[in-house]
Amino acid sequence: RVKRVAADITDKTKADLANLSQLAPAAVTEFVKRKLAAKQVIKSITVSKGSNFTTSVSKRDADLSPDMLVDGSWRTRSFKSVNLDALGAPPETGSLHPLLKVRTEYREIFLNLGFEEMPTNQFVESSFWNFDALFQPQQHPCRDMHDTFFLTDPAASKLSVFDGGQLDPAYVQRVKDIHSTGGFGSQGYGYDWALSEAKKNILRTHTTAISAQMLYRLAKECQGKEFRPVKLFSIDRVFRNETLDATHLAEFHQIEGVIADYNLTLGDLMGVLSAFFEKLGMGSNLRFKPAFNPYTEPSMEVFSFHSGLNKLVEVGNSGVFRPEMLLPMGLPPGVVVIAWGLSLERPTMIKYGYDNIRDLVGPKVDLEMARANPICRI
């Protein structure tokens, strides 16, 4: 038997749905979740005639021409509005590569310090100027094919100076003697020096080949005259048959400085390097390490800290040219020559924060990088 327990039934949900506009937002959200209600946005637009309303279509002028100014028609014409705050399209312009920027700064530093730039546009050198004149023995490992690029055509050259001048045969003989039997207080290397080996053409491995020719020319100039102290520098490309990695390339730029004068010491060399790198903002992070070079004694490697790699990176080499290199040229016995060679790419990596040299030079370079980099970082 069915028994009534309530007088009537009230559908509260139906009543709430009929009065959604009067419900609290939380209650409406609950109905939406239960899919008993849905939100609908109704937009209405009212259109009315304005002051510029017309039933005829006319083209507004974009520019004010000289004819309009002459006949006065500009007063009745309609012109397009101009947004004077809008930025124009960026012009297509060239951009300097970071290496060129840093190279320019290096060059200005040298010139401000009173240095004279050497002519270094000769990439192909004879082994004589690249090795033999620097008192580097012909059996040295760096003269092997796995370290040096040798030319096959022409494979050999006539020994001459960079400006086309003829090389004194007596100087070549003195170089041969200093290698084979010694001289000027040196015992030499004690081997049979071969002229054919010295004539081999190579892609220069350092710009010191030009420095040697400049010193040879200086020695000839001061014969019978008072010695003239010089300060020379060069910034140009060199080539080495090296394995490519994050900090090494087969082709790179070398910055070289040479000072020839009396009574120069290793302390003078360290002071010049510190002052030079101080102008680059790297003077406080320099470290010097004893090293060996066939043509300098003593010799030092120069390191600077790279924050990106979080380690010391070699940025150059330096030393005092040996008497076995200078005296055969004819320079006065008391003249001392200090020199240093620095890489252009590695300081640029440090200044611009690159951790891979192939992002700076080569086919993987992002050209947008050259456009977006600051004008100067030094």
Side-chain angles (χ1 to χ4, degrees), residues 13 16 20 23 27-37:
T13 300
D16 289 341
L20 279 177
L23 296 180
V28 175
T29 302
E30 184 64 27
F31 281 129
V32 172
K33 290 181 179 179
R34 294 170 60 185
K35 297 184 178 181
L36 296 176

Side-chain angles (χ1 to χ4, degrees), residues 125-134 136-139 143 150 155-160 167 172-173 175-176 179 191-202:
E125 285 287 354
S126 65
S127 295
F128 178 83
W129 285 117
N130 200 86
F131 298 118
D132 296 276
L134 305 182
Q136 199 157 334
Q138 293 184 340
Q139 68 272 22
R143 300 180 70 158
F150 287 86
S157 65
K158 297 179 181 179
L159 298 183
S160 60
L167 191 60
V172 178
Q173 183 62 41
V175 171
K176 176 181 178 180
H179 280 254
Y191 71 96
D192 294 330
W193 186 85
L195 181 61
S196 60
E197 186 71 23
K199 288 185 176 181
K200 289 183 178 180
N201 282 330
I202 64 169

Side-chain angles (χ1 to χ4, degrees), residues 131-194:
F131 298 118
D132 296 276
L134 305 182
F135 195 56
Q136 199 157 334
Q138 293 184 340
Q139 68 272 22
H140 195 278
C142 73
R143 300 180 70 158
D144 294 337
M145 294 187 65
H146 65 269
D147 282 331
T148 303
F149 293 108
F150 287 86
L151 270 67
T152 57
D153 186 20
S157 65
K158 297 179 181 179
L159 298 183
S160 60
V161 190
F162 65 89
D163 56 4
Q166 189 64 30
L167 191 60
D168 185 4
Y171 171 57
V172 178
Q173 183 62 41
R174 291 194 295 269
V175 171
K176 176 181 178 180
D177 294 339
I178 200 71
H179 280 254
S180 302
T181 59
F184 304 104
S186 171
Q187 63 182 10
Y189 292 113
Y191 71 96
D192 294 330
W193 186 85

Side-chain angles (χ1 to χ4, degrees), residues 36-55:
L36 296 176
K39 289 185 178 181
Q40 183 178 5
V41 178
I42 300 176
K43 295 182 179 179
S44 61
I45 300 175
T46 302
V47 179
S48 61
K49 295 181 180 181
S51 58
N52 296 325
F53 175 79
T54 180
T55 57

Side-chain angles (χ1 to χ4, degrees), residues 14-290:
K14 181 180 179 180
D16 289 341
L17 289 174
N19 298 282
L20 279 177
S21 60
Q22 301 178 5
L23 296 180
V28 175
T29 302
E30 184 64 27
F31 281 129
V32 172
K33 290 181 179 179
R34 294 170 60 185
K35 297 184 178 181
L36 296 176
K39 289 185 178 181
Q40 183 178 5
V41 178
I42 300 176
K43 295 182 179 179
S44 61
I45 300 175
T46 302
V47 179
S48 61
K49 295 181 180 181
S51 58
N52 296 325
F53 175 79
T54 180
T55 57
S56 61
V57 179
S58 61
K59 184 178 179 181
R60 293 189 293 175
D61 295 306
D63 300 315
L64 180 65
S65 67
D67 293 337
M68 295 179 189
L69 295 174
V70 172
D71 58 21
S73 60
W74 62 272
R75 295 185 178 89
T76 58
R77 288 180 177 268
S78 176
F79 292 92
K80 293 181 179 179
S81 60
V82 179
N83 184 4
L84 299 179
D85 296 327
L87 298 177
E92 295 293 335
T93 59
S95 302
L96 291 177
H97 191 278
L99 278 177
L100 293 178
K101 299 176 187 177
V102 177
R103 183 188 187 279
T104 301
E105 290 301 315
Y106 272 116
R107 187 173 182 274
E108 289 181 358
I109 289 174
F110 274 117
L111 294 176
N112 291 336
L113 291 175
F115 281 74
E116 176 186 353
E117 189 168 10
M118 295 184 282
T120 55
N121 55 348
Q122 183 171 299
F123 296 158
V124 177
E125 285 287 354
S126 65
S127 295
F128 178 83
W129 285 117
N130 200 86
F131 298 118
D132 296 276
L134 305 182
F135 195 56
Q136 199 157 334
Q138 293 184 340
Q139 68 272 22
H140 195 278
C142 73
R143 300 180 70 158
D144 294 337
M145 294 187 65
H146 65 269
D147 282 331
T148 303
F149 293 108
F150 287 86
L151 270 67
T152 57
D153 186 20
S157 65
K158 297 179 181 179
L159 298 183
S160 60
V161 190
F162 65 89
D163 56 4
Q166 189 64 30
L167 191 60
D168 185 4
Y171 171 57
V172 178
Q173 183 62 41
R174 291 194 295 269
V175 171
K176 176 181 178 180
D177 294 339
I178 200 71
H179 280 254
S180 302
T181 59
F184 304 104
S186 171
Q187 63 182 10
Y189 292 113
Y191 71 96
D192 294 330
W193 186 85
L195 181 61
S196 60
E197 186 71 23
K199 288 185 176 181
K200 289 183 178 180
N201 282 330
I202 64 169
L203 291 178
R204 65 184 181 200
T205 61
H206 48 197
T207 53
T208 313
I210 296 296
S211 301
Q213 296 176 61
M214 294 294 292
L215 292 173
Y216 171 73
R217 189 172 72 174
L218 176 65
K220 294 189 67 175
E221 290 176 356
C222 70
Q223 289 180 0
K225 302 178 182 178
E226 185 178 358
F227 172 77
R228 175 178 63 89
V230 295
K231 296 191 292 184
L232 307 171
F233 83 96
S234 64
I235 307 174
D236 215 327
R237 283 183 287 177
V238 296
F239 310 87
R240 295 181 187 176
N241 193 3
E242 295 193 11
T243 302
L244 304 183
D245 58 28
T247 57
H248 292 84
L249 289 176
E251 175 185 352
F252 58 96
H253 291 76
Q254 179 178 338
I255 305 166
E256 181 157 350
V258 176
I259 300 178
D261 202 351
Y262 290 101
N263 302 321
L264 294 176
T265 65
L266 188 66
D268 295 311
L269 176 59
M270 297 175 69
V272 170
L273 288 174
S274 298
F276 182 81
F277 277 98
E278 187 68 33
K279 291 183 176 293
L280 300 176
M282 300 161 57
S284 60
N285 295 325
L286 282 190
R287 298 294 184 271
F288 300 99
K289 176 184 176 183

